[in-house]
Amino acid sequence: MPAATAAKPYFPALTGLRAIAAWLIFFYHTNPFAPDGLADRIVSEFHVGVTLFFVLSGFLICVRYGGQIELSWRWFREYVLRRFARIYPLYFLLTCLFFTVQQLVPRYDTEGLYTISSASGRVLIIGMNLTLLRSWFADFRFTGISTGWTLTVEEFFYLVAPFLVLGLAHRLARLPLYTVGLVAIGCGLVALPTSWHPFGFFIGYKYMMSATFFGRCFEFLGGITLGLLVLRNAAVLSWLAKRISCTTWGIIWVATCIGLLLTMRALPALVHTLPWGPDFTDWVRIFLNNVLLVPGICLVLYGLIHEPSRLRGLLGSRMFDLFGKASYALYLIHIGVIDEFLKFHITTNLLARFIIANILAIALYKGIERPLYRRLVPRRS
């Protein structure tokens, strides 16, 4: 049996945590609070749900494949098939639905990027979406399923993850080298001559750090590092667990980072007087979101795996397990064509749309996502 098909560890509380991440992103995009109020500013930082997803991906890929990776075409093909089958079929079907509806009823194109394009431009937009290349190009990042830009980041990680895991498993001290190397590659792509940047390809350093794997590698590498430490039963984890509640202190760490993000959002007028200029707050926010959040999230993940707690019990419950498994579908549908249909024809009430979106997500998971995965990747004895 190829190693990529071996039984994988399962952490129910982390599946439930995926639901929390998806709900954070839902309310980030549908923020109902009055602009500039405290509640509005707090919800405006719920984009951290994406960081949580990325760290989770790094951790889960590592613990599920870390001891089984083979440098063979057969293994890699099986691995890629499983990753493809997990992500792409539902995304493909929903992308086709979104563009069909936008073609027939332009008012459903909430970003207006598809309907204002020429015929050739629309073909290019669809191609960029279906090939998952979109977030490398700023002009296409929010077309189609606007949240789908993160799948460009995710899928590129899937392609390089086996090599990163193998290298770090051999020598974890390579972590700084890998991090610097990946960011340097991203910077090199940004530094290409202007003629090499069609459609906003790696259009700037801040864009690269926010919207591409090279800038978001900290989150994935953080998850991989935690995964390797867990697989090795590292002494540092036991030492930590004896001295602190990893779940509690991880939540405090994450909340502190969100507080710092809020602070940086409130400081632009002051920062304009500093010699670094107005870009200073943007770079600090990127550092807080991409880097400083990661250790706190890793503490939460480790706590939810190893520490008995009410939170672990709740997130590991059957209800949250189902919400977590449906979180990917919710992530894809919670804004765009389906949400616009709900607002136009059913209700504008946010709580009602939240409930309906979760019900639809569960239906998509059970009726389409899971069956297609099982058809593409049949179970083996």
Side-chain angles (χ1 to χ4, degrees):
M1 178 173 59
T5 66
K8 310 298 191 300
Y10 183 67
F11 307 103
L14 300 192
T15 299
L17 189 62
R18 286 171 50 194
I20 300 298
W23 292 346
L24 287 172
I25 296 165
F26 176 96
F27 287 107
Y28 167 71
H29 284 129
T30 59
N31 190 339
F33 297 105
D36 297 324
L38 179 60
D40 168 72
R41 291 178 180 179
I42 292 173
V43 174
S44 294
E45 303 303 339
F46 282 6
H47 57 81
V48 298
V50 172
T51 302
L52 177 52
F53 271 131
F54 287 166
V55 178
L56 261 173
S57 289
F59 174 76
L60 292 173
I61 289 294
C62 180
V63 296
R64 289 176 180 174
Y65 296 101
Q68 307 162 359
I69 297 172
E70 299 175 6
L71 291 178
S72 67
W73 171 245
R74 182 185 180 192
W75 186 92
F76 192 72
R77 182 180 59 191
E78 185 75 27
Y79 164 79
V80 169
L81 172 62
R82 286 177 170 267
R83 294 299 93 209
F84 173 88
R86 181 68 69 189
I87 295 294
Y88 194 75
L90 183 63
Y91 171 77
F92 174 81
L93 293 174
L94 288 173
T95 295
C96 292
L97 171 66
F98 275 41
F99 282 125
T100 299
V101 172
Q102 290 175 2
Q103 180 71 34
L104 298 174
V105 189
R107 69 174 178 171
Y108 283 101
D109 182 13
T110 53
E111 298 290 336
L113 300 173
Y114 179 76
T115 52
I116 65 171
S117 299
S118 63
S120 60
R122 293 182 182 188
V123 170
L124 186 57
I125 288 173
I126 293 171
M128 286 292 179
N129 277 262
L130 293 181
T131 57
L132 293 175
L133 294 174
R134 53 193 287 189
S135 83
W136 287 18
F137 300 85
D139 292 359
F140 302 116
R141 183 183 180 187
F142 296 118
T143 56
I145 300 173
S146 58
T147 55
W149 69 267
T150 59
L151 299 188
T152 303
V153 181
E154 193 83 28
E155 287 296 315
F156 193 84
F157 166 66
Y158 288 157
L159 290 176
V160 301
F163 308 102
L164 295 175
V165 172
L166 272 180
L168 291 173
H170 181 70
R171 190 175 181 186
L172 193 54
R174 292 173 176 169
L175 179 63
L177 177 64
Y178 285 13
T179 305
V180 172
L182 288 168
V183 174
I185 292 171
C187 290
L189 291 169
V190 174
L192 291 171
T194 304
S195 60
W196 289 50
H197 294 279
F199 307 108
F201 176 75
F202 281 78
I203 193 62
Y205 293 104
K206 284 191 287 186
Y207 183 84
M208 181 272 293
M209 293 296 296
S210 301
T212 76
F213 170 74
F214 301 105
R216 307 299 296 255
C217 65
F218 307 93
E219 293 126 294
F220 296 102
L221 290 170
I224 289 174
T225 301
L226 175 63
L228 289 172
L229 293 176
V230 168
L231 289 174
R232 296 172 178 177
N233 293 314
V236 65
L237 295 181
S238 300
W239 182 86
L240 269 178
K242 290 177 181 177
R243 286 161 176 79
I244 64 170
S245 166
C246 293
T247 307
T248 300
W249 282 99
I251 291 172
I252 291 172
W253 187 306
V254 171
T256 301
C257 287
I258 291 175
L260 291 172
L261 286 166
L262 282 167
T263 301
M264 296 312 299
R265 187 183 291 272
L267 286 180
L270 172 63
V271 172
H272 277 220
T273 65
L274 298 176
W276 302 286
D279 284 346
F280 176 75
T281 53
D282 292 337
W283 282 109
V284 173
R285 284 176 57 81
I286 288 171
F287 173 77
L288 290 170
N289 185 80
N290 295 15
V291 181
L292 201 60
L293 260 174
V294 174
I297 292 174
C298 288
L299 281 173
V300 172
L301 299 188
Y302 184 69
L304 290 175
I305 294 170
H306 286 280
E307 295 174 351
S309 66
R310 291 182 179 179
L311 180 61
R312 178 183 176 181
L314 176 64
L315 294 178
S317 66
R318 293 181 63 183
M319 178 182 70
F320 267 88
D321 185 71
L322 180 58
F323 282 132
K325 288 174 178 175
S327 61
Y328 175 55
L330 177 66
Y331 181 75
L332 294 180
I333 69 171
H334 75 274
I335 55 173
V337 166
I338 293 176
D339 187 55
E340 292 302 306
F341 177 84
L342 293 178
K343 288 190 287 187
F344 288 145
H345 300 290
I346 298 180
T347 180
T348 58
N349 181 273
L350 179 59
L351 179 59
R353 284 160 43 213
F354 176 71
I355 293 171
I356 293 170
N358 277 276
I359 293 171
L360 287 174
I362 291 170
L364 286 169
Y365 167 71
K366 289 192 168 185
I368 297 178
E369 181 183 348
R370 184 174 61 181
L372 284 177
Y373 179 81
R374 289 177 174 175
R375 179 175 291 272
L376 290 168
V377 186
R379 292 184 178 182
R380 303 184 182 187
S381 58

PDB file of all heavy atoms in Angstrom, residues 167-192:
ATOM      1  N   GLY A 167      12.678  17.948   4.555  1.00  0.00           N
ATOM      2  CA  GLY A 167      13.871  18.717   4.908  1.00  0.00           C
ATOM      3  C   GLY A 167      13.895  19.096   6.375  1.00  0.00           C
ATOM      4  O   GLY A 167      14.926  18.971   7.052  1.00  0.00           O
ATOM      5  N   LEU A 168      12.747  19.549   6.913  1.00  0.00           N
ATOM      6  CA  LEU A 168      12.697  19.952   8.311  1.00  0.00           C
ATOM      7  C   LEU A 168      12.731  18.750   9.251  1.00  0.00           C
ATOM      8  O   LEU A 168      13.242  18.838  10.364  1.00  0.00           O
ATOM      9  CB  LEU A 168      11.456  20.804   8.562  1.00  0.00           C
ATOM     10  CG  LEU A 168      11.478  22.180   7.900  1.00  0.00           C
ATOM     11  CD1 LEU A 168      10.136  22.879   8.069  1.00  0.00           C
ATOM     12  CD2 LEU A 168      12.596  23.045   8.474  1.00  0.00           C
ATOM     13  N   ALA A 169      12.176  17.617   8.807  1.00  0.00           N
ATOM     14  CA  ALA A 169      12.240  16.405   9.627  1.00  0.00           C
ATOM     15  C   ALA A 169      13.684  15.934   9.772  1.00  0.00           C
ATOM     16  O   ALA A 169      14.083  15.425  10.827  1.00  0.00           O
ATOM     17  CB  ALA A 169      11.387  15.305   9.003  1.00  0.00           C
ATOM     18  N   HIS A 170      14.461  16.130   8.726  1.00  0.00           N
ATOM     19  CA  HIS A 170      15.880  15.747   8.785  1.00  0.00           C
ATOM     20  C   HIS A 170      16.655  16.681   9.698  1.00  0.00           C
ATOM     21  O   HIS A 170      17.525  16.239  10.474  1.00  0.00           O
ATOM     22  CB  HIS A 170      16.483  15.761   7.382  1.00  0.00           C
ATOM     23  CG  HIS A 170      17.922  15.359   7.337  1.00  0.00           C
ATOM     24  ND1 HIS A 170      18.350  14.065   7.562  1.00  0.00           N
ATOM     25  CD2 HIS A 170      19.050  16.092   7.113  1.00  0.00           C
ATOM     26  CE1 HIS A 170      19.658  14.016   7.470  1.00  0.00           C
ATOM     27  NE2 HIS A 170      20.115  15.233   7.207  1.00  0.00           N
ATOM     28  N   ARG A 171      16.312  17.981   9.618  1.00  0.00           N
ATOM     29  CA  ARG A 171      17.026  18.946  10.457  1.00  0.00           C
ATOM     30  C   ARG A 171      16.147  20.177  10.650  1.00  0.00           C
ATOM     31  O   ARG A 171      16.046  21.029   9.775  1.00  0.00           O
ATOM     32  CB  ARG A 171      18.351  19.343   9.810  1.00  0.00           C
ATOM     33  CG  ARG A 171      19.243  20.151  10.737  1.00  0.00           C
ATOM     34  CD  ARG A 171      20.592  20.427  10.103  1.00  0.00           C
ATOM     35  NE  ARG A 171      21.454  21.174  11.004  1.00  0.00           N
ATOM     36  CZ  ARG A 171      22.648  21.657  10.691  1.00  0.00           C
ATOM     37  NH1 ARG A 171      23.125  21.452   9.472  1.00  0.00           N
ATOM     38  NH2 ARG A 171      23.368  22.332  11.563  1.00  0.00           N
ATOM     39  N   LEU A 172      15.536  20.264  11.827  1.00  0.00           N
ATOM     40  CA  LEU A 172      14.604  21.358  12.104  1.00  0.00           C
ATOM     41  C   LEU A 172      15.307  22.713  12.127  1.00  0.00           C
ATOM     42  O   LEU A 172      14.669  23.755  11.911  1.00  0.00           O
ATOM     43  CB  LEU A 172      13.891  21.110  13.438  1.00  0.00           C
ATOM     44  CG  LEU A 172      12.669  21.973  13.752  1.00  0.00           C
ATOM     45  CD1 LEU A 172      11.639  21.905  12.636  1.00  0.00           C
ATOM     46  CD2 LEU A 172      12.048  21.549  15.070  1.00  0.00           C
ATOM     47  N   ALA A 173      16.592  22.711  12.344  1.00  0.00           N
ATOM     48  CA  ALA A 173      17.354  23.967  12.363  1.00  0.00           C
ATOM     49  C   ALA A 173      17.349  24.663  11.000  1.00  0.00           C
ATOM     50  O   ALA A 173      17.753  25.823  10.892  1.00  0.00           O
ATOM     51  CB  ALA A 173      18.799  23.703  12.800  1.00  0.00           C
ATOM     52  N   ARG A 174      16.883  23.959   9.966  1.00  0.00           N
ATOM     53  CA  ARG A 174      16.791  24.584   8.647  1.00  0.00           C
ATOM     54  C   ARG A 174      15.612  25.561   8.534  1.00  0.00           C
ATOM     55  O   ARG A 174      15.479  26.233   7.512  1.00  0.00           O
ATOM     56  CB  ARG A 174      16.630  23.503   7.575  1.00  0.00           C
ATOM     57  CG  ARG A 174      17.843  22.619   7.380  1.00  0.00           C
ATOM     58  CD  ARG A 174      17.524  21.486   6.436  1.00  0.00           C
ATOM     59  NE  ARG A 174      18.695  20.663   6.146  1.00  0.00           N
ATOM     60  CZ  ARG A 174      18.654  19.501   5.516  1.00  0.00           C
ATOM     61  NH1 ARG A 174      17.484  19.017   5.114  1.00  0.00           N
ATOM     62  NH2 ARG A 174      19.762  18.814   5.291  1.00  0.00           N
ATOM     63  N   LEU A 175      14.765  25.603   9.547  1.00  0.00           N
ATOM     64  CA  LEU A 175      13.554  26.430   9.475  1.00  0.00           C
ATOM     65  C   LEU A 175      13.845  27.881   9.085  1.00  0.00           C
ATOM     66  O   LEU A 175      13.202  28.407   8.171  1.00  0.00           O
ATOM     67  CB  LEU A 175      12.796  26.365  10.799  1.00  0.00           C
ATOM     68  CG  LEU A 175      11.520  27.201  10.901  1.00  0.00           C
ATOM     69  CD1 LEU A 175      10.476  26.720   9.900  1.00  0.00           C
ATOM     70  CD2 LEU A 175      10.963  27.148  12.327  1.00  0.00           C
ATOM     71  N   PRO A 176      14.787  28.577   9.734  1.00  0.00           N
ATOM     72  CA  PRO A 176      15.067  29.961   9.314  1.00  0.00           C
ATOM     73  C   PRO A 176      15.526  30.049   7.866  1.00  0.00           C
ATOM     74  O   PRO A 176      15.139  30.976   7.139  1.00  0.00           O
ATOM     75  CB  PRO A 176      16.160  30.418  10.281  1.00  0.00           C
ATOM     76  CG  PRO A 176      16.039  29.521  11.460  1.00  0.00           C
ATOM     77  CD  PRO A 176      15.594  28.199  10.912  1.00  0.00           C
ATOM     78  N   LEU A 177      16.340  29.087   7.435  1.00  0.00           N
ATOM     79  CA  LEU A 177      16.836  29.093   6.059  1.00  0.00           C
ATOM     80  C   LEU A 177      15.685  28.936   5.073  1.00  0.00           C
ATOM     81  O   LEU A 177      15.618  29.663   4.066  1.00  0.00           O
ATOM     82  CB  LEU A 177      17.845  27.969   5.867  1.00  0.00           C
ATOM     83  CG  LEU A 177      18.411  27.794   4.447  1.00  0.00           C
ATOM     84  CD1 LEU A 177      19.208  29.022   4.042  1.00  0.00           C
ATOM     85  CD2 LEU A 177      19.286  26.539   4.380  1.00  0.00           C
ATOM     86  N   TYR A 178      14.771  28.012   5.338  1.00  0.00           N
ATOM     87  CA  TYR A 178      13.628  27.812   4.457  1.00  0.00           C
ATOM     88  C   TYR A 178      12.750  29.065   4.410  1.00  0.00           C
ATOM     89  O   TYR A 178      12.279  29.472   3.354  1.00  0.00           O
ATOM     90  CB  TYR A 178      12.787  26.622   4.929  1.00  0.00           C
ATOM     91  CG  TYR A 178      13.388  25.267   4.626  1.00  0.00           C
ATOM     92  CD1 TYR A 178      14.712  25.126   4.209  1.00  0.00           C
ATOM     93  CD2 TYR A 178      12.630  24.117   4.763  1.00  0.00           C
ATOM     94  CE1 TYR A 178      15.255  23.884   3.932  1.00  0.00           C
ATOM     95  CE2 TYR A 178      13.160  22.861   4.489  1.00  0.00           C
ATOM     96  CZ  TYR A 178      14.478  22.751   4.080  1.00  0.00           C
ATOM     97  OH  TYR A 178      15.011  21.523   3.799  1.00  0.00           O
ATOM     98  N   THR A 179      12.538  29.654   5.579  1.00  0.00           N
ATOM     99  CA  THR A 179      11.684  30.851   5.644  1.00  0.00           C
ATOM    100  C   THR A 179      12.289  31.990   4.834  1.00  0.00           C
ATOM    101  O   THR A 179      11.616  32.605   3.994  1.00  0.00           O
ATOM    102  CB  THR A 179      11.500  31.291   7.108  1.00  0.00           C
ATOM    103  OG1 THR A 179      10.995  30.203   7.876  1.00  0.00           O
ATOM    104  CG2 THR A 179      10.536  32.461   7.193  1.00  0.00           C
ATOM    105  N   VAL A 180      13.553  32.268   5.073  1.00  0.00           N
ATOM    106  CA  VAL A 180      14.232  33.350   4.344  1.00  0.00           C
ATOM    107  C   VAL A 180      14.275  33.035   2.854  1.00  0.00           C
ATOM    108  O   VAL A 180      14.052  33.920   2.009  1.00  0.00           O
ATOM    109  CB  VAL A 180      15.653  33.566   4.906  1.00  0.00           C
ATOM    110  CG1 VAL A 180      16.439  34.538   4.026  1.00  0.00           C
ATOM    111  CG2 VAL A 180      15.579  34.086   6.336  1.00  0.00           C
ATOM    112  N   GLY A 181      14.538  31.787   2.516  1.00  0.00           N
ATOM    113  CA  GLY A 181      14.616  31.409   1.110  1.00  0.00           C
ATOM    114  C   GLY A 181      13.302  31.602   0.373  1.00  0.00           C
ATOM    115  O   GLY A 181      13.278  32.124  -0.751  1.00  0.00           O
ATOM    116  N   LEU A 182      12.189  31.202   0.998  1.00  0.00           N
ATOM    117  CA  LEU A 182      10.879  31.355   0.352  1.00  0.00           C
ATOM    118  C   LEU A 182      10.511  32.829   0.191  1.00  0.00           C
ATOM    119  O   LEU A 182      10.019  33.244  -0.868  1.00  0.00           O
ATOM    120  CB  LEU A 182       9.813  30.618   1.165  1.00  0.00           C
ATOM    121  CG  LEU A 182       9.885  29.090   1.087  1.00  0.00           C
ATOM    122  CD1 LEU A 182       8.981  28.456   2.136  1.00  0.00           C
ATOM    123  CD2 LEU A 182       9.494  28.596  -0.307  1.00  0.00           C
ATOM    124  N   VAL A 183      10.750  33.615   1.228  1.00  0.00           N
ATOM    125  CA  VAL A 183      10.461  35.050   1.124  1.00  0.00           C
ATOM    126  C   VAL A 183      11.355  35.694   0.072  1.00  0.00           C
ATOM    127  O   VAL A 183      10.907  36.565  -0.701  1.00  0.00           O
ATOM    128  CB  VAL A 183      10.625  35.745   2.486  1.00  0.00           C
ATOM    129  CG1 VAL A 183      10.460  37.262   2.343  1.00  0.00           C
ATOM    130  CG2 VAL A 183       9.612  35.205   3.493  1.00  0.00           C
ATOM    131  N   ALA A 184      12.602  35.252  -0.014  1.00  0.00           N
ATOM    132  CA  ALA A 184      13.528  35.798  -1.015  1.00  0.00           C
ATOM    133  C   ALA A 184      13.052  35.485  -2.433  1.00  0.00           C
ATOM    134  O   ALA A 184      13.176  36.324  -3.335  1.00  0.00           O
ATOM    135  CB  ALA A 184      14.930  35.239  -0.787  1.00  0.00           C
ATOM    136  N   ILE A 185      12.516  34.287  -2.644  1.00  0.00           N
ATOM    137  CA  ILE A 185      11.970  33.956  -3.967  1.00  0.00           C
ATOM    138  C   ILE A 185      10.833  34.908  -4.312  1.00  0.00           C
ATOM    139  O   ILE A 185      10.754  35.433  -5.429  1.00  0.00           O
ATOM    140  CB  ILE A 185      11.485  32.496  -4.000  1.00  0.00           C
ATOM    141  CG1 ILE A 185      12.679  31.539  -3.908  1.00  0.00           C
ATOM    142  CG2 ILE A 185      10.694  32.223  -5.272  1.00  0.00           C
ATOM    143  CD1 ILE A 185      12.269  30.081  -3.724  1.00  0.00           C
ATOM    144  N   GLY A 186       9.932  35.140  -3.339  1.00  0.00           N
ATOM    145  CA  GLY A 186       8.841  36.083  -3.567  1.00  0.00           C
ATOM    146  C   GLY A 186       9.348  37.473  -3.885  1.00  0.00           C
ATOM    147  O   GLY A 186       8.852  38.139  -4.805  1.00  0.00           O
ATOM    148  N   CYS A 187      10.363  37.927  -3.153  1.00  0.00           N
ATOM    149  CA  CYS A 187      10.936  39.257  -3.410  1.00  0.00           C
ATOM    150  C   CYS A 187      11.571  39.311  -4.795  1.00  0.00           C
ATOM    151  O   CYS A 187      11.488  40.336  -5.488  1.00  0.00           O
ATOM    152  CB  CYS A 187      11.973  39.592  -2.337  1.00  0.00           C
ATOM    153  SG  CYS A 187      11.274  39.899  -0.697  1.00  0.00           S
ATOM    154  N   GLY A 188      12.204  38.203  -5.199  1.00  0.00           N
ATOM    155  CA  GLY A 188      12.796  38.162  -6.533  1.00  0.00           C
ATOM    156  C   GLY A 188      11.744  38.289  -7.626  1.00  0.00           C
ATOM    157  O   GLY A 188      11.970  38.972  -8.635  1.00  0.00           O
ATOM    158  N   LEU A 189      10.590  37.674  -7.428  1.00  0.00           N
ATOM    159  CA  LEU A 189       9.512  37.788  -8.418  1.00  0.00           C
ATOM    160  C   LEU A 189       8.966  39.214  -8.458  1.00  0.00           C
ATOM    161  O   LEU A 189       8.635  39.730  -9.535  1.00  0.00           O
ATOM    162  CB  LEU A 189       8.402  36.796  -8.088  1.00  0.00           C
ATOM    163  CG  LEU A 189       8.765  35.321  -8.299  1.00  0.00           C
ATOM    164  CD1 LEU A 189       7.700  34.410  -7.695  1.00  0.00           C
ATOM    165  CD2 LEU A 189       8.944  35.013  -9.781  1.00  0.00           C
ATOM    166  N   VAL A 190       8.879  39.855  -7.306  1.00  0.00           N
ATOM    167  CA  VAL A 190       8.426  41.254  -7.277  1.00  0.00           C
ATOM    168  C   VAL A 190       9.424  42.151  -7.988  1.00  0.00           C
ATOM    169  O   VAL A 190       9.047  43.115  -8.674  1.00  0.00           O
ATOM    170  CB  VAL A 190       8.226  41.727  -5.824  1.00  0.00           C
ATOM    171  CG1 VAL A 190       7.893  43.224  -5.784  1.00  0.00           C
ATOM    172  CG2 VAL A 190       7.111  40.935  -5.143  1.00  0.00           C
ATOM    173  N   ALA A 191      10.710  41.856  -7.861  1.00  0.00           N
ATOM    174  CA  ALA A 191      11.764  42.712  -8.400  1.00  0.00           C
ATOM    175  C   ALA A 191      11.982  42.552  -9.899  1.00  0.00           C
ATOM    176  O   ALA A 191      12.829  43.255 -10.478  1.00  0.00           O
ATOM    177  CB  ALA A 191      13.070  42.429  -7.659  1.00  0.00           C
ATOM    178  N   LEU A 192      11.245  41.657 -10.536  1.00  0.00           N
ATOM    179  CA  LEU A 192      11.373  41.494 -11.978  1.00  0.00           C
ATOM    180  C   LEU A 192      11.052  42.806 -12.697  1.00  0.00           C
ATOM    181  O   LEU A 192      10.326  43.650 -12.178  1.00  0.00           O
ATOM    182  CB  LEU A 192      10.431  40.388 -12.464  1.00  0.00           C
ATOM    183  CG  LEU A 192      10.785  38.950 -12.047  1.00  0.00           C
ATOM    184  CD1 LEU A 192       9.640  38.011 -12.420  1.00  0.00           C
ATOM    185  CD2 LEU A 192      12.082  38.509 -12.697  1.00  0.00           C
TER     186      LEU A 192
END
